[in-house]
Amino acid sequence: MLNMVFYGLHVLLLVAFLATVSTAWTTPIGSQHRRESTIIIRSTNNVNDDTSITTRRELLHKTIRIGASTPAAALTLSALTHHPESASASIRPEEKKCDPGDARCRQGGELADDVPSGQPIPAVTNRITYVVQMIVDVGERRENDAGYLRFGLYGDDCPGSVKQLLLFLTRGIKSMNMDALEDALEVDYAPVSLMDGSGSVQNICSGKGIDFGVPSQSKAYSRSRGLRTAGPYFVPQGRPTPTLEGEAFPRPHSVAGLISVPAKGIGYGDASSGSGIIASELSDDEIFASAFTITAQEAAPLDKPNTAQQQRVIGQIIDNESMQFLERLANLPVQKKVGKVSSGPPLLKVRVRDVDVQKVKNESGKKGKKKSR
């Protein structure tokens, strides 16, 4: 009888022991702390502000009070004390830059107190024969963020350069040898124009000037026709011939607001406004990327004769609103490139939405015909 009592007692003790071990195995001490610690660490590793620092400090103090007596506390302490780079990144102050779409935002991310006022309108030194108005959008989907650039062209002084620019602004330049393509099969081509949906500001030289052009003829062709690519049969337009270096140079690049093209003609641009574009290194697809320049200040290097940088002034801005908008464009933030701190493509896309050309009345009082677009 006594043996049976002892046997039953042993069984009860064994059951109680197994139950205790099972409970300890399925619910280890500190599991709640482990879950809490894991969540906090995960949520603060990707945050670099004062809130994350406070959370880490509170968790560290809480762990020290616990004494790191549990596996979860030890894991938390290890995570908090072995990531000095994370802590330093949290404390490091972040550079605050202005919104590039803000009209007061300048190069370098600085926010000016007021919208740029613009420099004075250039004095009219040559007869203006055509007036051009371009509507330019700043940024994607910014319907209310657009401006006007109105400028006159000196058609009497440099008729070849003016005619070439007018074609580029409207119907497009056709410079390829059509006779050579007469017998070619399955050849795709199109005139290169600022109005094909790809005309844009390609380069900004901080406060000095901006370059307009078509960066890629093949992309412009495919976009205008709703295609993914231009296809293997697309042939881009080449550089126009004959060249125009023998044409007159009406005035120097002495002030802001002057319209300037390469001395040999559009398509021969090398380094307008400091863009660093080398004509010899461009493919035919890219030769119209820097078609013409609008100066934002004096640009004497563009007047050096017989150099790759030489350009010809063929027109000027004609109103204060355009000068103010030019000042803004010339100071837009640019994409950072190694070795080029203050020059490069704009951070926001700057696209030409529309162009209108009007011929000025001649001396007899008759008004010229409006150029087609």
Side-chain angles (χ1 to χ4, degrees), residues 6 19 36 80 116 119 147 197 200 239 243 295 305 322 326 332-333 351 370:
F6 279 112
E36 179 183 358
L80 290 172
Q119 297 191 42
S200 60
R239 292 179 174 87
T243 57
T295 63
S322 299
L326 171 64
L332 284 173
R351 184 182 63 87
K370 186 177 179 180

Side-chain angles (χ1 to χ4, degrees), residues 99-180:
D99 176 11
D102 192 325
R104 298 172 299 164
C105 189
R106 314 286 282 189
Q107 287 201 15
E110 298 178 358
L111 187 66
D113 294 332
D114 299 310
V115 177
S117 58
Q119 297 191 42
I121 304 171
V124 179
T125 59
N126 303 75
R127 181 175 179 269
I128 293 175
T129 57
Y130 293 93
V131 172
V132 178
Q133 176 176 280
M134 293 196 310
I135 303 177
V136 181
D137 294 322
V138 179
E140 299 285 354
R141 302 183 181 89
R142 294 180 181 271
E143 296 181 358
N144 297 323
D145 197 359
Y148 293 88
L149 290 174
R150 301 182 184 91
F151 53 88
L153 299 177
Y154 309 146
D156 290 343
D157 298 285
C158 38
S161 297
V162 168
K163 179 180 179 180
Q164 199 174 74
L165 180 59
L166 289 176
L167 286 174
F168 181 72
L169 292 174
T170 55
R171 292 176 290 177
I173 293 176
K174 296 179 182 178
S175 55
M176 63 172 50
N177 187 344
M178 302 304 297
D179 294 335

